[in-house]
Amino acid sequence: MVVITVQRGRHAPRRIDLGRRIMNNHDGHGAHGGHGGGQAGGLAVSVDGYTLVVDAAILAAGARQHIGFRVIGPDGEPVTEFVAEHEKELHFIAVRRDTAGFQHVHPVRDEKGAWSTELDLEPGDWRFFADIHPAGHDGSLTLGIDVAVAGPYDPRPLPEAARTARIGAYAVTLDGALVPGRASELTLTVSRDDRPVTDLEPYLAAYGHLVALRVGDLGYLHVHPEGHPGDGVTAPGPEISFVAVVPSAGAYRLFLDFQHEGVVRTAEFTVHTAEVAPSHGDHHHHGHGDAHHAHH
């Protein structure tokens, strides 16, 4: 069991029991998506008898695309009952195979189990993830499927590793390291115009949502921050702390969604795993992040 102490500026040190945090990772604030203490999810279209089926696996060229899909259960019928997690029955992630174009949306479902949403999709090969907890299943799971979008494909190189991502007037700074097979704390600090943001707004019952994708196969991990809004302990910024366990060495793409002044923004990072985690507060690799966008 690992216990670390994090110094939080003017506040008292905060002790974090990482061993207990990982064991309790299904309380709504721990690992969510890989659903296995560091096991990557979303690598299979079918898990435990549940299968992700899209209406069309090949899409015509066009930026804005209508996406329809279903989750087929072990009985061969579309699933119509789910356990809501973080206020939604299903979290849907889309990312191109070169890790560009990340989108985290929440489709709508009809009474027959058909889901629909709209996505901005440039030409290329895309990976769709459905993060769900079917009613009657003993936990959450993530299904993944490939979809091809027609048109000239211009793959982008992997963005360089950086410790700061900028989204307009906002900057998000990443502290911490990913160590394969070990619980790693990541702290993301949000500022605007170089001033700490201390009034982050709850978004899906949390102050931030973090998705990690393994570069190469897009193995998926979805992690949530410690605490939650309204618990009397968790501050609304500027820091959002997460615990993540990555399954292997290599490069990962991190995508943080946070809400401020009614707009959800996404900060993106490229992170390479470390053999030994640096001390908290190591800022030797600060730089500027890459692509970013806002959701309305």
Side-chain angles (χ1 to χ4, degrees):
M1 185 168 294
V2 181
V3 178
I4 66 174
T5 300
V6 180
Q7 185 71 39
R8 302 187 67 182
R10 294 174 295 175
H11 302 287
R14 174 164 56 92
R15 290 174 61 80
I16 299 172
D17 186 336
L18 298 186
R20 179 171 297 176
R21 187 95 65 81
I22 292 303
M23 288 189 290
N24 294 333
N25 66 2
H26 289 291
D27 64 358
H29 306 287
H32 178 267
H35 306 301
Q39 296 299 315
L43 296 175
V45 71
S46 185
V47 177
D48 294 342
Y50 295 90
T51 302
L52 178 60
V53 177
V54 294
D55 292 351
I58 300 176
L59 301 174
R64 195 70 175 171
Q65 300 272 7
H66 175 82
I67 306 298
F69 64 95
R70 291 161 292 147
V71 176
I72 305 300
D75 60 358
E77 298 295 327
V79 179
T80 58
E81 295 184 11
F82 297 83
V83 177
E85 296 194 345
H86 284 266
E87 300 181 346
K88 297 294 181 179
E89 289 186 335
L90 183 146
H91 296 262
F92 196 77
I93 306 296
V95 66
R96 206 166 62 172
R97 276 287 178 181
D98 60 357
T99 78
F102 175 89
Q103 293 161 80
H104 177 180
V105 299
H106 301 97
V108 295
R109 175 179 59 81
D110 68 17
E111 67 279 0
K112 296 182 180 180
W115 294 87
S116 61
T117 189
E118 290 191 348
L119 296 171
D120 293 317
L121 303 177
E122 296 181 354
D125 293 325
W126 288 76
R127 188 71 172 172
F128 292 168
F129 302 94
D131 203 353
I132 55 174
H133 184 171
H137 191 263
D138 60 2
S140 301
L141 51 88
T142 303
L143 307 175
I145 192 169
D146 282 339
V147 172
V149 179
Y153 177 33
D154 184 18
R156 300 172 189 170
L158 181 69
E160 294 185 2
R163 286 286 174 169
T164 298
R166 298 191 180 276
I167 314 100
Y170 293 83
V172 181
T173 300
L174 171 67
D175 264 325
L178 295 175
V179 182
R182 284 175 47 184
S184 304
E185 184 176 29
L186 303 175
T187 299
L188 294 111
T189 304
V190 183
S191 64
R192 183 174 68 172
D193 296 325
D194 298 324
R195 296 181 179 181
V197 174
T198 58
D199 58 346
L200 291 172
E201 298 162 354
Y203 173 60
L204 303 173
Y207 287 126
H209 291 258
L210 186 66
V211 169
L213 297 175
R214 180 170 56 189
V215 175
D217 64 359
L218 298 184
Y220 171 100
L221 297 107
H222 192 173
V223 293
H224 291 293
E226 178 190 19
H228 57 85
D231 62 6
V233 177
T234 305
E239 296 179 351
I240 316 170
S241 293
F242 300 82
V243 168
V245 181
V246 296
S248 61
Y252 288 80
R253 290 280 284 154
L254 305 183
F255 302 89
L256 172 73
D257 289 334
F258 66 95
Q259 180 169 305
H260 189 240
E261 295 187 347
V263 178
V264 178
R265 297 172 173 84
T266 302
E268 306 183 6
F269 300 87
T270 299
V271 176
H272 297 275
T273 55
E275 294 183 2
V276 179
S279 60
H280 195 80
D282 186 342
H283 295 276
H284 294 301
H285 297 89
H286 280 202
H288 293 292
D290 57 281
H292 32 259
H293 53 272
H295 308 283
H296 299 278

